[in-house]
Amino acid sequence: MFIKNAWYVAARLEEVTDKPLGRQICGEKIVFYRGKENKIYAVEDFCPHRGAPLSLGFIEDGNLVCGYHGLVMGCDGKTISMPGQRVRGFPCNKSYSVIEKYGFIWVWPGEQHLATEDDLPVLEWAESKEWAYGGGLFHINCDYRLMIDNLMDLTHETYVHANSIGQKEIDEAAPTTRVDGDHVITERHMKNIYAPPFWQMALKGNNLATDVPVDRWQICHFHAPSNVHIEVGVAHAGHGGYHAQEDKKVSSVVVDFITPETETSHWYFWGMARHFQADNAELTAQIKEGQGKIFSEDLDMLEQQQQNLLRYPNRKLLMLNIDAGGVQARKVIDRLISLEQVQNIASDQIPSVNLQ
Amino acid sequence: MFIKNAWYVAARLEEVTDKPLGRQICGEKIVFYRGKENKIYAVEDFCPHRGAPLSLGFIEDGNLVCGYHGLVMGCDGKTISMPGQRVRGFPCNKSYSVIEKYGFIWVWPGEQHLATEDDLPVLEWAESKEWAYGGGLFHINCDYRLMIDNLMDLTHETYVHANSIGQKEIDEAAPTTRVDGDHVITERHMKNIYAPPFWQMALKGNNLATDVPVDRWQICHFHAPSNVHIEVGVAHAGHGGYHAQEDKKVSSVVVDFITPETETSHWYFWGMARHFQADNAELTAQIKEGQGKIFSEDLDMLEQQQQNLLRYPNRKLLMLNIDAGGVQARKVIDRLISLEQVQNIASDQIPSVNLQ
Amino acid sequence: MFIKNAWYVAARLEEVTDKPLGRQICGEKIVFYRGKENKIYAVEDFCPHRGAPLSLGFIEDGNLVCGYHGLVMGCDGKTISMPGQRVRGFPCNKSYSVIEKYGFIWVWPGEQHLATEDDLPVLEWAESKEWAYGGGLFHINCDYRLMIDNLMDLTHETYVHANSIGQKEIDEAAPTTRVDGDHVITERHMKNIYAPPFWQMALKGNNLATDVPVDRWQICHFHAPSNVHIEVGVAHAGHGGYHAQEDKKVSSVVVDFITPETETSHWYFWGMARHFQADNAELTAQIKEGQGKIFSEDLDMLEQQQQNLLRYPNRKLLMLNIDAGGVQARKVIDRLISLEQVQNIASDQIPSVNLQ
């Protein structure tokens, strides 16, 4: 089950080139392409003529052309033309609202009349010169909610990422979780500890001493439908931790957009935005490479966890304090899905009311 | 659904060597082998002893021997012998009528008492020294009827084969379609155009000028159960097109036998027979290589089209004038399948009538 | 269907190292590890916290630690601890009785209170210095009973292993089969024949002439749940065959433990124990390599046989005299499975009786 009436990251901007991109999102097969006025459009990836995937086609004069028999699809899902044919009666494809912003292509897979740019998250780090961003994309064969669980309970770092960002003190610092509407926050603060290797690299990158105690923080934010941003950082101990001055800390935001593909697979857009040395491209590349390696350590665990859950469908999982972030995030998701179902029933009833 | 009472190409002659060949045809697992008197035989690929595939066995004294425990299978499906065993009571395998002709192995997967060599198609080009033939075999994961559609609507050449045989003028010349019993003909004639690369190569191969306008034709013939032969060619413009004298044209027949494997896969025997430079083996090889490359361009499109159709089972496809050939071919297939079902019911009833 | 209340070989000893080993046995996902006091333990491969596979974890202080969030699992299936958590209420994993003996890890997948070391088979060859053993492990995608059939009917050697241990005389010597409780014996004796290549190698390895007639024997022993041991050998002809003196024969025991994974796959632990030149490690390696090659010849046949049987579920297989060993073994298996089911019903009823 997915929230459908929401913006999801569909692709990294550089993925949609002069060729169409076919991608399944929340169970819908969609083709994305750069068309008229250099804008991105998205329609169902199904040619109304004979069912060929439009994503095997090409762009001509800003329109998407089916690569099988030349049907020209409009950005509104209506067929524009086809060689030697009148196309007025052709069935209409679903078209999708798309926004190109913050370096991503965003898509609204649900009811299109509900799509509004106002609902797009505001990502300050993506528009400010004081921030640098690097990231990538993984395809993972597990329920997108297992990835949300993963990111909202960072005690796994101690085990899965023992050699980079994990450290025993994470386990020892109990997190606090609170819910604010569709926003879930789980945070953890560790004082007077030693920075693990990844953060030592970051301290060094920001010209800060690495051999002194630090305060470390992890503030995980879940936002519906399935975005997780994590404020992470270390400051030289005794300078206020999260609130320390810029020259005493290194901090960044782990930026994760988790886009369902099917019930048991998802697209994982991972990245990191940082607020120091923003114009150091070499450091950006170094962090991206490190983060890519670290995040790839989760893949096998997540995919085998999914297989285990499919195999033991009746076995209940525990919901401990460390799981509170994921548990609350799932509650938000469930509530919004229920709301969509109620809205669908309500909108189905409107016409019958009108008939009276 | 397949027509079962018909001849299908099962294999290219060179595929059945001194080893048995296992191949599934119209849902039936069959083993083909060269046995007694150097003839080809075919029986179910299932050893009546313990179910081993007979195609893993070998030929001895013209008989097929199971490679697991040595059962000797007869060409009529009856077990001939087995070491240390009396085999009279062994259950009988289905055996299949097979004909070796025109460079192919033909099989009749349905009711064996209905099989008659008279129903085999007559292929003049395969027996005349004035013709040369080259071809190959692809295994394709899609319904065999999608391949029939493909070959009966050549407007796809403009898109899928844009760099070889495609050209805009195909789209612009409306085809005509007619039905003659189990034979469907779709044809298209283009006048005073320039030959696309493949035909320029053919003109050159036949020592004809390539820089002059030509008339081009495509006459697609569907014959039940699922053979498509396409008369194709170009003639120097103004000499009668299809009816031009031999020294003004290059023409050939695209020869396609489309043999169902399962409901969603088939064996595609493609080839080309040509009526010029028949003894030029180098040209035959060149054309075969070119055709193989061109036809391989269809594979991804067809297989992804199949996936799309499985995903959207209720979505109706369009039937445009360009689709008329495929649509009429499917009508022939449907009619013959219905006829088989009626015959099966009728033959089931005969015994009960006899009992009265 | 599997016998569950029995000892199965789960792994070769060297497979369980300092890392846990995940393996599915009789449909149960199990993790094996070397823990406290250097002993082997086995529990369900499912972390009670969030369902992660424990086999992706590690061993610490003799305990199995989940590699996801650090839950420490006890060898009895009870959670010992988890960072920052009280674990008393955590659901309990199934734990499995395990024995480390004869170079193998043995597991009892069924009712644990029924497990008793007394039921472990006694393998003399594995504990005597007069014997040498070499072997390996294959994963095979077929019902474990097809492998039992294979090993209880060695006429297949003539066909599948024609170049090593097969010879026509196997087919010609009718086997005798007898049943003794849960033990099935099929034996065959061939007199005054020439040794096939594998046995010529063995004769040479034992410094015996290879160019003289021999007597050959094959005595297949099936023991429940699914172990097949085959006494095999050749003796110079006229010296008593199986009963010949040591200096006139070469003999060994083919040692096969066939452990079901799923209904259509199994783990095949193959090997050979020999009673000559026991301290010749080079010969052990040579025999193991030869046997590995020979046994790998069965894989394709068995897996394609399985596919054929799935495809023709209603087709009955023959039960010839050569199949008697397999047929009787299946009867033993079926009887013991029925017995387990009756026991399960009986034990389910005990509590309700006590309530009266």
Side-chain angles (χ1 to χ4, degrees):
Chain A
M1 297 289 284
F2 322 118
I3 298 169
K4 297 287 285 267
N5 292 329
W7 292 109
Y8 285 94
V9 170
R12 293 163 58 83
L13 207 52
E14 62 264 38
E15 290 187 272
V16 183
T17 60
D18 56 335
K19 289 182 184 170
L21 171 73
R23 179 158 290 166
Q24 189 169 338
I25 290 176
C26 294
E28 314 234 342
K29 286 190 75 175
I30 306 176
V31 52
F32 297 87
Y33 64 99
R34 190 172 291 284
K36 298 274 188 209
E37 297 171 17
N38 211 31
K39 284 173 64 183
I40 303 282
Y41 301 97
V43 295
E44 267 180 298
D45 194 8
F46 185 100
C47 179
H49 173 218
R50 302 295 291 176
L54 293 167
S55 52
L56 289 182
F58 56 93
I59 315 300
E60 198 172 68
D61 300 333
N63 290 317
L64 177 60
V65 182
C66 179
Y68 203 3
H69 302 101
L71 179 144
V72 182
M73 170 56 63
C75 61
D76 55 357
K78 288 183 192 161
T79 301
I80 292 173
S81 64
M82 187 172 169
Q85 306 297 331
R86 292 179 193 167
V87 301
R88 193 168 295 181
F90 281 24
C92 199
N93 266 19
K94 183 173 179 180
S95 66
Y96 298 87
S97 299
V98 173
I99 297 171
E100 178 180 343
K101 198 162 181 181
Y102 305 133
F104 297 106
I105 309 293
W106 304 76
V107 70
W108 183 280
E111 297 291 325
Q112 295 305 305
H113 68 276
L114 299 175
T116 159
E117 191 158 347
D118 294 346
D119 288 339
L120 201 71
V122 175
L123 306 180
E124 288 173 36
W125 52 262
E127 299 203 307
S128 161
K129 285 195 175 174
E130 291 179 23
W131 290 80
Y133 169 85
L137 168 61
F138 293 156
H139 180 266
I140 306 183
N141 285 313
C142 78
D143 188 320
Y144 71 105
R145 293 171 299 187
L146 294 183
M147 180 55 94
I148 296 174
D149 292 344
N150 174 287
L151 294 163
M152 294 298 281
D153 175 11
L154 298 180
T155 63
H156 82 271
E157 292 183 358
T158 308
Y159 304 94
V160 181
H161 314 304
N163 300 319
S164 52
I165 52 176
Q167 61 186 145
K168 204 63 193 162
E169 290 87 349
I170 299 174
D171 283 346
E172 292 162 359
T176 60
T177 297
R178 63 188 195 278
V179 181
D180 178 11
D182 302 343
H183 177 195
V184 179
I185 307 103
T186 289
E187 65 186 292
R188 174 184 281 109
H189 296 268
M190 294 153 272
K191 291 198 173 174
N192 219 33
I193 63 174
Y194 279 90
F198 180 87
W199 284 113
Q200 294 207 15
M201 178 187 80
L203 285 165
K204 200 174 165 191
N206 202 21
N207 305 316
L208 284 166
T210 61
D211 56 352
V212 297
V214 297
D215 298 333
R216 182 178 177 189
W217 60 91
Q218 302 172 320
I219 308 172
C220 309
H221 301 267
F222 165 84
H223 289 278
S226 61
N227 308 333
V228 177
H229 298 179
I230 313 179
E231 296 178 84
V232 291
V234 296
H236 279 176
H239 290 88
Y242 177 73
H243 300 287
Q245 281 182 294
E246 294 290 328
D247 63 351
K248 300 294 184 195
K249 70 182 174 188
V250 278
S251 69
S252 53
V253 182
V254 175
V255 179
D256 293 310
F257 301 104
I258 306 156
T259 301
E261 181 189 49
T262 67
E263 297 286 342
T264 54
S265 61
H266 70 270
W267 303 100
Y268 178 40
F269 297 89
W270 55 267
M272 185 172 270
R274 77 176 186 281
H275 199 205
F276 60 93
Q277 305 274 345
D279 49 3
N280 185 340
E282 200 179 321
L283 183 61
T284 303
Q286 191 184 358
I287 289 175
K288 177 181 164 179
E289 190 192 339
Q291 193 187 12
K293 273 185 197 162
I294 292 169
F295 283 24
S296 69
E297 294 170 339
D298 290 292
L299 298 190
D300 197 25
M301 181 65 79
L302 286 162
E303 296 190 343
Q304 287 202 38
Q305 183 190 18
Q306 175 69 68
Q307 291 308 308
N308 253 4
L309 297 181
L310 288 172
R311 196 174 163 69
Y312 295 94
N314 298 320
R315 197 154 166 170
K316 285 196 178 158
L317 304 185
L318 295 176
M319 298 185 191
L320 308 176
N321 65 327
I322 55 171
D323 302 310
V327 168
Q328 294 300 332
R330 284 166 182 251
K331 283 190 184 170
V332 170
I333 291 170
D334 289 346
R335 178 166 50 76
L336 291 172
I337 290 173
S338 296
L339 197 63
E340 285 189 1
Q341 290 168 338
V342 170
Q343 286 170 334
N344 288 344
I345 292 166
S347 70
D348 285 353
Q349 289 177 333
I350 292 170
S352 63
V353 170
N354 286 350
L355 287 173
Q356 292 179 339
Chain B
M1 296 289 284
F2 322 117
I3 299 169
K4 298 286 285 265
N5 293 327
W7 292 109
Y8 285 94
V9 169
R12 293 163 57 83
L13 207 52
E14 62 265 37
E15 289 186 273
V16 183
T17 60
D18 56 336
K19 290 182 183 168
L21 172 73
R23 181 157 289 167
Q24 189 170 337
I25 289 175
C26 294
E28 314 234 342
K29 287 191 74 175
I30 305 176
V31 51
F32 297 86
Y33 64 99
R34 190 172 292 284
K36 297 274 189 211
E37 297 171 18
N38 211 30
K39 284 173 63 181
I40 303 283
Y41 300 97
V43 295
E44 266 180 298
D45 194 8
F46 186 100
C47 179
H49 173 217
R50 302 294 291 176
L54 293 167
S55 52
L56 289 182
F58 56 94
I59 315 300
E60 197 172 68
D61 299 334
N63 290 317
L64 178 60
V65 183
C66 180
Y68 204 3
H69 302 100
L71 179 144
V72 183
M73 170 56 62
C75 59
D76 55 358
K78 288 183 193 160
T79 301
I80 292 173
S81 64
M82 187 170 168
Q85 307 296 332
R86 293 179 192 166
V87 300
R88 194 168 294 182
F90 281 23
C92 199
N93 265 18
K94 183 172 179 179
S95 66
Y96 298 87
S97 299
V98 173
I99 296 172
E100 178 180 343
K101 197 161 181 181
Y102 305 133
F104 296 105
I105 309 294
W106 303 76
V107 71
W108 182 280
E111 298 291 324
Q112 295 306 304
H113 68 276
L114 298 175
T116 159
E117 191 158 347
D118 295 346
D119 288 340
L120 202 71
V122 176
L123 307 180
E124 289 173 37
W125 52 261
E127 299 204 308
S128 161
K129 285 194 175 175
E130 291 179 24
W131 290 80
Y133 170 85
L137 167 62
F138 293 156
H139 179 266
I140 306 182
N141 285 311
C142 78
D143 188 322
Y144 70 105
R145 292 171 300 187
L146 295 182
M147 180 55 94
I148 296 174
D149 292 344
N150 174 288
L151 294 164
M152 295 298 281
D153 175 11
L154 297 181
T155 64
H156 82 272
E157 293 182 358
T158 308
Y159 304 93
V160 182
H161 313 303
N163 299 319
S164 53
I165 52 177
Q167 60 184 147
K168 204 62 195 161
E169 291 88 349
I170 299 174
D171 283 346
E172 292 161 359
T176 60
T177 297
R178 63 188 195 278
V179 181
D180 178 12
D182 302 345
H183 178 194
V184 179
I185 307 103
T186 288
E187 64 186 293
R188 174 184 281 109
H189 295 268
M190 295 153 271
K191 291 199 172 173
N192 219 32
I193 63 172
Y194 280 88
F198 179 88
W199 284 113
Q200 294 207 15
M201 178 187 79
L203 285 166
K204 201 174 166 192
N206 201 22
N207 305 318
L208 284 165
T210 62
D211 56 352
V212 297
V214 297
D215 298 333
R216 182 179 177 188
W217 61 91
Q218 301 172 321
I219 308 173
C220 309
H221 301 267
F222 166 84
H223 290 278
S226 61
N227 308 333
V228 177
H229 298 179
I230 313 177
E231 296 178 83
V232 290
V234 296
H236 279 177
H239 288 87
Y242 177 73
H243 300 286
Q245 281 182 292
E246 294 290 330
D247 63 351
K248 300 293 185 197
K249 70 181 176 188
V250 279
S251 69
S252 52
V253 182
V254 174
V255 179
D256 293 311
F257 300 104
I258 305 155
T259 301
E261 181 189 49
T262 68
E263 297 286 343
T264 54
S265 62
H266 70 271
W267 303 100
Y268 178 40
F269 296 89
W270 55 267
M272 185 171 270
R274 77 175 188 280
H275 199 205
F276 60 93
Q277 304 274 345
D279 50 2
N280 185 340
E282 198 179 323
L283 183 61
T284 303
Q286 190 184 358
I287 289 175
K288 177 180 164 179
E289 189 192 339
Q291 192 187 12
K293 272 186 197 161
I294 292 169
F295 282 23
S296 70
E297 294 169 341
D298 290 291
L299 298 191
D300 197 25
M301 182 65 80
L302 287 162
E303 296 191 343
Q304 287 203 37
Q305 183 190 18
Q306 175 69 67
Q307 290 308 309
N308 252 3
L309 297 181
L310 289 173
R311 196 175 163 69
Y312 295 94
N314 298 319
R315 199 153 165 171
K316 286 195 179 159
L317 303 185
L318 295 176
M319 298 184 190
L320 309 175
N321 65 326
I322 55 172
D323 302 309
V327 168
Q328 294 300 333
R330 284 166 181 251
K331 282 190 184 171
V332 170
I333 291 170
D334 289 346
R335 178 166 49 74
L336 291 172
I337 290 173
S338 296
L339 197 63
E340 285 189 1
Q341 290 168 338
V342 170
Q343 286 170 335
N344 287 344
I345 292 166
S347 70
D348 284 352
Q349 288 175 335
I350 292 170
S352 63
V353 170
N354 287 349
L355 287 173
Q356 291 177 339
Chain C
M1 297 290 283
F2 322 117
I3 298 170
K4 297 287 285 267
N5 293 328
W7 292 109
Y8 285 94
V9 170
R12 293 163 57 82
L13 207 51
E14 63 264 38
E15 289 187 273
V16 182
T17 60
D18 56 335
K19 289 181 183 169
L21 171 73
R23 180 157 289 166
Q24 190 169 339
I25 290 175
C26 294
E28 313 235 342
K29 286 190 75 175
I30 306 177
V31 51
F32 297 87
Y33 64 100
R34 189 172 292 284
K36 297 274 187 209
E37 298 170 19
N38 212 31
K39 285 174 62 183
I40 303 283
Y41 300 97
V43 295
E44 267 180 298
D45 194 7
F46 185 101
C47 179
H49 173 218
R50 302 294 292 176
L54 293 167
S55 52
L56 289 183
F58 56 93
I59 315 299
E60 197 172 68
D61 300 333
N63 289 316
L64 177 60
V65 183
C66 180
Y68 204 3
H69 302 100
L71 179 144
V72 182
M73 170 55 64
C75 61
D76 55 357
K78 288 183 194 160
T79 301
I80 291 173
S81 64
M82 186 170 169
Q85 307 297 330
R86 292 179 194 166
V87 300
R88 193 167 294 180
F90 282 24
C92 199
N93 265 18
K94 183 173 179 179
S95 67
Y96 299 87
S97 300
V98 173
I99 296 172
E100 178 180 343
K101 198 164 180 180
Y102 305 133
F104 297 106
I105 310 294
W106 304 76
V107 70
W108 183 280
E111 297 292 324
Q112 295 305 305
H113 69 276
L114 298 174
T116 158
E117 191 158 347
D118 295 346
D119 288 340
L120 202 71
V122 176
L123 307 180
E124 288 171 38
W125 53 261
E127 299 203 308
S128 161
K129 284 194 175 176
E130 291 179 23
W131 290 79
Y133 170 85
L137 168 62
F138 292 157
H139 179 266
I140 307 183
N141 285 313
C142 78
D143 188 322
Y144 70 105
R145 293 171 299 187
L146 294 182
M147 179 54 93
I148 295 174
D149 292 345
N150 174 287
L151 294 163
M152 295 298 282
D153 175 11
L154 297 181
T155 63
H156 82 271
E157 292 182 358
T158 309
Y159 304 94
V160 181
H161 314 304
N163 299 318
S164 52
I165 51 177
Q167 61 185 143
K168 204 63 194 162
E169 290 87 349
I170 299 174
D171 283 347
E172 293 161 359
T176 60
T177 296
R178 64 188 196 279
V179 182
D180 179 11
D182 301 345
H183 177 195
V184 179
I185 307 103
T186 289
E187 65 185 294
R188 173 183 282 109
H189 295 268
M190 294 153 273
K191 291 198 173 175
N192 218 33
I193 63 173
Y194 280 89
F198 179 87
W199 283 113
Q200 295 208 14
M201 178 188 80
L203 285 165
K204 201 174 166 192
N206 202 21
N207 306 316
L208 284 165
T210 62
D211 56 352
V212 296
V214 296
D215 298 332
R216 182 179 177 188
W217 61 90
Q218 301 171 321
I219 307 173
C220 310
H221 301 268
F222 165 84
H223 289 278
S226 60
N227 308 333
V228 177
H229 298 180
I230 313 178
E231 296 178 83
V232 291
V234 297
H236 280 178
H239 289 87
Y242 176 73
H243 299 287
Q245 281 182 294
E246 295 288 330
D247 63 351
K248 300 293 184 196
K249 71 181 175 188
V250 277
S251 69
S252 53
V253 182
V254 175
V255 178
D256 293 311
F257 300 105
I258 305 156
T259 302
E261 180 189 49
T262 68
E263 298 285 343
T264 54
S265 62
H266 71 270
W267 303 100
Y268 178 40
F269 296 90
W270 54 268
M272 185 171 271
R274 75 175 189 282
H275 199 205
F276 60 94
Q277 305 274 344
D279 50 2
N280 185 340
E282 199 179 320
L283 183 61
T284 302
Q286 191 185 357
I287 289 175
K288 178 180 164 179
E289 190 192 339
Q291 192 187 12
K293 272 186 198 161
I294 292 169
F295 282 24
S296 70
E297 293 170 340
D298 290 292
L299 298 191
D300 197 25
M301 182 65 80
L302 287 163
E303 296 190 343
Q304 287 203 37
Q305 183 190 18
Q306 174 70 67
Q307 290 309 309
N308 252 4
L309 297 181
L310 288 173
R311 198 178 161 66
Y312 295 94
N314 298 318
R315 200 154 164 168
K316 285 197 180 158
L317 304 186
L318 295 176
M319 297 184 191
L320 309 175
N321 64 328
I322 55 172
D323 302 310
V327 168
Q328 294 300 333
R330 283 166 182 252
K331 282 189 184 172
V332 170
I333 290 170
D334 289 346
R335 179 166 49 75
L336 291 173
I337 290 173
S338 296
L339 197 62
E340 284 189 2
Q341 290 169 338
V342 170
Q343 286 170 334
N344 287 344
I345 293 166
S347 70
D348 284 353
Q349 288 176 334
I350 292 170
S352 64
V353 170
N354 287 349
L355 287 174
Q356 291 177 341

